[in-house]
């Protein structure tokens, strides 16, 4: 991780950290972040003022180790790493088998249920705040790469991945706790996001992006909202723009849910 990466994430880090702090229901609660990686999007020193423990989950153990190593010694003992954890629950072996022979919908559902059970058994639970750090789109891109364009069961497998991830957030959230589903929805590579006027209403823009069909499937807020309604009323936080990696601007939104 370079200082350049840290600087590149500044805009996004401020918004994401603000949303996490604002989601705490008590001082000294426990936070869990899924897809924490290099933690460029988390101001861990600031978060440690609100949360007593911060659990960081990622498939990339080295990224988490680097992120924790660069924190001040005073907060390091309160940062708990969980890696490698594959949050998709879809190991390469299974995807290889599915590529050769596409699964039926019941087979996909059985696999997703098993994946969720294994993930919840692997991680501690009862967190006050749980957050997804733009990891679902990454997992969805990896799925497309593994199964290939035009794969016949792609929608079913992708919906199962989305269900597994949202149910992981629900399953890790303790009584009275909240979770935040934060995701990039599109980049300026696929939708014109540069040169917007400062007064542009980003909620309106979000609807326009969805209507245009440019939104990433796994981040489609209408589908996500429908899935989230099964556990509570999703609250859409103010979306934000972030000019980050690859010299692109990303549209990011967050749903916050208090599971009932
Ligand atoms: C968009 S990045 C989030 C940014 C990250 N928090 C940072 O600041 O570097 C997504 C993260 O998801 C992780 N990731 C991708 N696929 C994953 C998977 N199947 N399971 C767990 N983590 C995964 C990546 O390793 C990366 O750290």
């Amino acid at each position: 991780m370079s200082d350049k990466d840290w600087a590149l994430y500044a805009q996004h880090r401020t918004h994401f950290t603000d949303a996490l702090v604002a989601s705490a229901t008590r001082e000294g609660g426990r936070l869990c972040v899924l897809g924490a990686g290099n933690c460029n999007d988390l101001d861990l020193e600031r978060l440690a003022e609100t949360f007593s423990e911060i659990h960081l989950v990622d498939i990339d153990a080295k990224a988490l180790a680097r992120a924790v190593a660069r924190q001040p010694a005073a907060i390091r003992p309160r940062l708990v790493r969980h890696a490698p954890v594959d949050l998709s629950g879809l190991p390469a072996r299974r995807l290889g088998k599915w590529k050769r022979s596409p699964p039926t919908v019941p087979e996909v559902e059985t696999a997703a249920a098993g994946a969720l059970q294994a993930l919840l058994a692997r991680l501690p639970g009862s967190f006050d705040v749980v957050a997804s750090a733009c990891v679902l789109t990454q997992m969805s891109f990896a799925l497309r790469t593994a199964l290939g364009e035009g794969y016949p069961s792609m929608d079913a497998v992708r919906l199962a991945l989305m269900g597994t991830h949202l149910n992981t957030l629900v399953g890790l959230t303790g009584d009275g706790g909240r979770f935040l589903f934060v995701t990039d929805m599109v980049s300026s590579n696929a939708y014109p996001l540069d040169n917007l006027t400062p007064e542009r209403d980003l909620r309106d823009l979000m609807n326009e992006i969805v209507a245009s069909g440019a939104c990433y499937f796994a981040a489609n807020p209408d589908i996500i909202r429908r899935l989230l309604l099964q556990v509570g009323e999703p609250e859409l936080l103010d979306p934000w723009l972030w000019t980050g990696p690859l010299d692109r601007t990303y549209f990011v939104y967050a749903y916050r849910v208090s599971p009932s």
Side-chain angles (χ1 to χ4, degrees), residues 177-194:
R178 315 209 263 188
F179 69 83
L180 273 176
F181 171 74
V182 181
T183 189
D184 47 328
M185 186 172 119
V186 74
S187 83
S188 52
N189 197 36
Y191 195 90
L193 295 173
D194 296 316

Side-chain angles (χ1 to χ4, degrees), residues 53-101:
E53 284 176 29
I54 303 173
H55 291 246
L56 305 166
V57 184
D58 205 279
I59 200 166
D60 186 343
K62 287 185 179 159
L64 282 190
R66 278 195 304 271
V68 170
R70 69 169 199 271
Q71 303 307 316
I75 70 160
R76 248 180 269 147
R78 294 197 277 131
L79 305 177
V80 186
R81 285 177 279 147
H82 302 276
V85 175
D86 181 352
L87 290 162
S88 74
L90 294 170
R93 199 180 55 253
R94 168 162 295 143
L95 292 178
K97 189 166 159 236
W98 282 1
K99 185 165 185 177
R100 289 189 298 279
S101 166

